[in-house]
Amino acid sequence: MENVMHQSSLEQDTPPTPPPAPAGSTRKPGGWKSIKYIIGNESFEKLASMSLISNMTVYLNTKYNMSGIFVVNVVTIWNGSSNIASLAGAFISDAYLGRFRTLLYGSIASLLGIGTMTLTAAIRQLRPPTCINGESHCQHPQTWQLVFLFMALGLLSLGAGGIRPCNIAFGADQFDTKTEKGRAQLESFFNWWYFSFTIALIFALTAVVYIQTNVSWVLGFAVPTACLGISITIFLLGCHTYVYKDPQGSIFSDMAKVIIAACRKHRLRTVGSFYDPPVTGLDSSPTTLLARTDRFRFLDKAAIIAEPSELDSHGISNNGWRLCSLQQVEQLKCLVAIAPVWVSGIGCFITMDQQNTFGVLQLMQMNRSVGSHFKIPPGWMNLTSMIALSTWIIIYEQIYIPQARKMTRKDKRLTMQQRISIGILMSILCMLVAGFVEKKRRDSATVQGLFTSPMSFAFLVPQFFFSGMTEAFAAVALMEFFTTQMPESMRTIAGAIFFLSLSVASYIGSLLVNVIHSATGKRGKSPWLGGRDLNNNRLDYYYYVIATLATLNLLYFNFFATHYISSRGGGGGRSAESSTDYHPRNLSESERENERKDLERDGAR
């Protein structure tokens, strides 16, 4: 059962419970018994989607003849759209379908998208004629061919919008965070969730990417299509074990109401009674409440009863756009409080995005030979990042934490601040190393007048390694921060916010590419970016620009954003039930009445 019921939700009809769990509200938490199905579903889904993401740059470059700037824009905007669709998925999940159904329908949309991509590889007429590497003039795809391609990418984005905000939240629903054991299990779940699908990615980036590059794109797309079918099957097999929580209304409209109501009352002094109606769950049991905080006090004005006429005869707000409940205000405060850390996450993800596009393009113009008969597929380089991430998680969970516990007699973990700071530092090293390697690659090719540099692909390993460590430290910590820093009713929103940061990072990355291309190509000069041949560009300069932005991000995080991370808890943040700033409490009717009187006295003062 969700912890917080919004006043606006009480005014709506209760959405029906998902068919697989008609008695979901009486189920005991599924725990690890349910998690095995959820992680199994997530692993096969990631195996399918990441085999496309990792090799999409290669596919569009070799089969659709897209040049450097165009292919980077398509891939980054597609990634950004997939992530921003998470907001729509979060809204639909919370307001109408619930997390289970949203996950299921998102998986079906992804299956249709991957199937359509398979058709682009199987039907020759859906693509332009193949262009040989080094040719300066290649036939571009026709408009209708691009429309079919973008339709496939759109379905994949639609599916991602349903899957991404709900998978981690649905998994977290399976643990009882009211107990110490449940909170400890939830913290480990984040790492093992990342670890499990990372192992699946290793298989995707070896077998599937090899098939796509060296055997057949048709077969290479058919395999992830089958994997996604298996993913949906596994997910449905676990229906009898899941804990289902009913949709209780999206908080997006509540947030808009709080902002508008606070603006309408901007001249009102923070004096008077606060509107804090009793809130109960669907089973009529007391619900966890968020206590009033002193942060962002301007928003408190939305909950002040300025005139008696704002309430009806039953003490209910007549107009939710003029008077909101304290619970609505506090939930918006939770969201505003994570914004500074969210901005730092965007800086990390901009760095990570470079390896999926420019990193792969670098590899395509390097010596990829291993021995005399085998060449490394470009998509395989992402294995380095995945191996680095999974190796660190094993070391952290199986070696570092047990040894620290033996030495200190406590569950000693790196704080969120430490992990995010280390992740940002890794992103800086990633770009510095990438710039140095690119200069060496370019020089070795231009000296000999070659399109493909004789320099070995192995020189790219360090930058992909640092990219993986950025994800291992920063991305995992950020996902944990967003999820645990909010009440359970906002977990889907937390997942959407995480993927929104990925989306914004993709859009900013695309904007930077186009701005730098335009700014450096003026007055007849050769631009740093653009064209099919990286040897005519200065990609190393672009990498150094990103490294500079990452350095500014490190300073910003440590001198500003870090103040918004709680110092309590094993991971440096707070558990789902406690915080130094926000204190959910289970209150009886008499306790809620006493607290309302206290809040009214505070407002009068």
Side-chain angles (χ1 to χ4, degrees), residues 57 82 118 137 145 155 182 184 205 290 343 363 369 379 382 464 467 488 506 535 566 597 600 602:
T57 301
S82 298
T118 305
H137 300 288
Q145 292 173 329
L155 285 169
L205 298 178
L290 290 170
V343 172
L363 183 59
S369 298
N382 287 294
F464 278 85
S467 178
E488 288 187 16
S506 296
N535 298 331
S566 169
K597 293 179 180 179
E600 290 174 3
D602 291 341

Side-chain angles (χ1 to χ4, degrees), residues 47-73:
L47 191 154
S49 61
M50 286 303 296
S51 64
L52 291 180
I53 294 173
S54 299
N55 229 14
M56 186 59 67
T57 301
V58 179
Y59 182 67
L60 298 181
N61 183 269
T62 58
K63 298 300 180 181
Y64 277 84
N65 304 333
M66 294 186 183
S67 62
I69 290 292
F70 190 25
V71 71
V72 168
N73 282 332

Side-chain angles (χ1 to χ4, degrees), residues 552-579:
L552 294 176
N553 187 35
L554 181 63
L555 297 174
Y556 161 80
F557 176 76
N558 283 291
F559 287 100
F560 179 71
T562 187
H563 298 299
Y564 291 82
I565 297 181
S566 169
S567 60
R568 293 179 61 185
R574 69 177 180 84
S575 72
E577 298 294 330
S578 62
S579 170

Side-chain angles (χ1 to χ4, degrees), residues 15 38 159 185 231 273 293 326 359 366 376 519 561:
I38 296 173
Q185 289 177 331
S231 170
S273 300
T293 61
L326 272 177
M366 295 181 73
I376 293 290

Side-chain angles (χ1 to χ4, degrees), residues 436-551:
F436 176 79
V437 171
E438 171 56 20
K439 185 178 186 305
K440 293 295 183 182
R441 186 210 63 79
R442 179 178 178 273
D443 290 346
S444 64
T446 54
V447 166
Q448 301 183 40
L450 302 173
F451 176 80
T452 301
S453 169
M455 189 173 174
S456 172
F457 72 93
F459 285 93
L460 291 180
V461 169
Q463 67 193 62
F464 278 85
F465 169 82
F466 284 124
S467 178
M469 294 304 289
T470 300
E471 186 172 4
F473 281 97
V476 175
L478 286 166
M479 177 176 289
E480 180 182 335
F481 173 75
F482 295 151
T483 305
T484 60
Q485 204 73 7
M486 293 186 178
E488 288 187 16
S489 61
M490 298 179 70
R491 276 181 179 164
T492 308
I493 301 299
I497 289 170
F498 177 81
F499 288 107
L500 178 63
S501 63
L502 293 173
S503 175
V504 173
S506 296
Y507 289 137
I508 292 177
S510 179
L511 178 64
L512 284 172
V513 167
N514 287 279
V515 169
I516 291 176
H517 171 74
S518 177
T520 58
K522 293 181 178 179
R523 299 178 182 178
K525 295 182 180 180
S526 178
W528 291 359
L529 307 170
R532 293 182 60 86
D533 189 356
L534 291 181
N535 298 331
N536 297 326
N537 300 335
R538 293 311 304 255
L539 180 59
D540 51 332
Y541 291 170
Y542 170 74
Y543 281 146
Y544 294 142
V545 170
I546 303 298
T548 302
L549 295 177
T551 303

Side-chain angles (χ1 to χ4, degrees), residues 285-466:
S285 62
T287 324
T288 301
L289 296 178
L290 290 170
R292 177 173 171 251
T293 61
D294 289 330
R295 282 185 175 181
F296 317 117
R297 298 186 68 178
F298 170 79
L299 297 174
D300 289 341
K301 297 181 179 182
I304 295 177
I305 303 174
E307 300 174 1
S309 60
E310 291 182 333
L311 301 177
D312 62 16
S313 58
H314 301 287
I316 303 299
S317 173
N318 282 317
N319 186 349
W321 296 94
R322 293 193 64 88
L323 179 63
C324 303
S325 69
L326 272 177
Q327 289 301 295
Q328 291 172 299
V329 172
E330 288 305 320
Q331 285 166 348
L332 180 57
K333 286 183 179 181
C334 285
L335 188 61
V336 175
I338 69 171
V341 181
W342 179 77
V343 172
S344 281
I346 293 173
C348 290
F349 298 139
I350 288 175
T351 301
M352 290 166 51
D353 280 348
Q354 308 308 316
Q355 304 313 309
N356 288 328
T357 52
F358 287 115
V360 173
L361 293 175
Q362 280 180 279
L363 183 59
M364 293 176 68
Q365 289 187 233
M366 295 181 73
N367 179 11
R368 298 185 282 116
S369 298
V370 177
S372 57
H373 301 291
F374 183 77
K375 285 189 175 183
I376 293 290
W380 273 22
M381 283 308 300
N382 287 294
L383 280 171
T384 306
S385 300
M386 298 297 102
I387 292 173
L389 186 152
S390 56
T391 300
W392 164 249
I393 290 177
I394 293 175
I395 293 173
Y396 182 64
E397 288 284 345
Q398 299 297 319
I399 300 177
Y400 174 82
I401 293 176
Q403 292 301 318
R405 188 182 296 118
K406 288 181 180 179
M407 296 174 63
T408 64
R409 305 286 184 180
K410 296 180 180 179
D411 190 9
K412 189 71 174 177
R413 293 173 179 263
L414 294 174
T415 66
M416 282 188 185
Q417 178 183 346
Q418 291 171 334
R419 285 185 284 164
I420 296 174
S421 293
I422 293 172
I424 298 174
L425 181 61
M426 292 294 177
S427 71
I428 298 171
L429 294 175
C430 176
M431 289 295 94
L432 292 176
V433 171
F436 176 79
V437 171
E438 171 56 20
K439 185 178 186 305
K440 293 295 183 182
R441 186 210 63 79
R442 179 178 178 273
D443 290 346
S444 64
T446 54
V447 166
Q448 301 183 40
L450 302 173
F451 176 80
T452 301
S453 169
M455 189 173 174
S456 172
F457 72 93
F459 285 93
L460 291 180
V461 169
Q463 67 193 62
F464 278 85
F465 169 82
F466 284 124

Side-chain angles (χ1 to χ4, degrees), residues 100-394:
F100 173 82
R101 282 181 172 173
T102 306
L103 271 170
L104 179 61
Y105 296 157
S107 299
I108 293 173
S110 292
L111 180 62
L112 294 175
I114 292 181
T116 307
M117 284 298 301
T118 305
L119 292 179
T120 66
I123 302 176
R124 181 67 188 82
Q125 291 75 13
L126 295 177
R127 295 176 281 108
T130 304
C131 185
I132 301 175
N133 280 338
E135 289 187 11
S136 57
H137 300 288
C138 300
Q139 183 174 329
H140 297 297
Q142 299 180 34
T143 302
W144 68 270
Q145 292 173 329
L146 288 176
V147 168
F148 197 85
L149 172 67
F150 293 157
M151 181 178 66
L153 297 178
L155 285 169
L156 290 170
S157 295
L158 187 65
I163 295 171
R164 293 178 181 179
C166 296
N167 50 15
I168 191 74
F170 190 61
D173 285 344
Q174 311 307 310
F175 298 102
D176 182 8
T177 55
K178 295 182 179 63
T179 66
E180 186 65 30
K181 179 181 178 181
R183 290 193 291 270
Q185 289 177 331
L186 178 62
E187 187 170 346
S188 289
F189 165 67
F190 293 114
N191 277 334
W192 288 118
W193 180 79
Y194 243 104
F195 173 77
S196 298
F197 79 69
T198 299
I199 296 300
L201 295 186
I202 292 176
F203 286 102
L205 298 178
T206 51
V208 180
V209 168
Y210 178 81
I211 291 172
Q212 291 172 347
T213 309
N214 295 75
V215 180
S216 166
W217 283 101
V218 179
L219 182 60
F221 284 156
V223 170
T225 302
C227 287
L228 194 53
I230 295 173
S231 170
I232 296 174
T233 302
I234 293 175
F235 186 59
L236 292 175
L237 287 175
C239 286
H240 66 287
T241 68
Y242 299 145
V243 171
Y244 299 88
K245 296 188 177 181
D246 298 310
Q248 298 186 4
S250 175
I251 67 171
F252 286 120
S253 59
D254 289 344
M255 292 177 182
K257 289 177 181 178
V258 171
I259 294 173
I260 292 176
C263 290
R264 283 179 168 180
K265 298 179 179 180
H266 68 281
R267 295 182 179 178
L268 185 69
R269 297 178 61 188
T270 313
V271 177
S273 300
F274 287 95
Y275 177 55
D276 189 19
V279 181
T280 57
L282 295 178
D283 60 352
S284 300
S285 62
T287 324
T288 301
L289 296 178
L290 290 170
R292 177 173 171 251
T293 61
D294 289 330
R295 282 185 175 181
F296 317 117
R297 298 186 68 178
F298 170 79
L299 297 174
D300 289 341
K301 297 181 179 182
I304 295 177
I305 303 174
E307 300 174 1
S309 60
E310 291 182 333
L311 301 177
D312 62 16
S313 58
H314 301 287
I316 303 299
S317 173
N318 282 317
N319 186 349
W321 296 94
R322 293 193 64 88
L323 179 63
C324 303
S325 69
L326 272 177
Q327 289 301 295
Q328 291 172 299
V329 172
E330 288 305 320
Q331 285 166 348
L332 180 57
K333 286 183 179 181
C334 285
L335 188 61
V336 175
I338 69 171
V341 181
W342 179 77
V343 172
S344 281
I346 293 173
C348 290
F349 298 139
I350 288 175
T351 301
M352 290 166 51
D353 280 348
Q354 308 308 316
Q355 304 313 309
N356 288 328
T357 52
F358 287 115
V360 173
L361 293 175
Q362 280 180 279
L363 183 59
M364 293 176 68
Q365 289 187 233
M366 295 181 73
N367 179 11
R368 298 185 282 116
S369 298
V370 177
S372 57
H373 301 291
F374 183 77
K375 285 189 175 183
I376 293 290
W380 273 22
M381 283 308 300
N382 287 294
L383 280 171
T384 306
S385 300
M386 298 297 102
I387 292 173
L389 186 152
S390 56
T391 300
W392 164 249
I393 290 177
I394 293 175

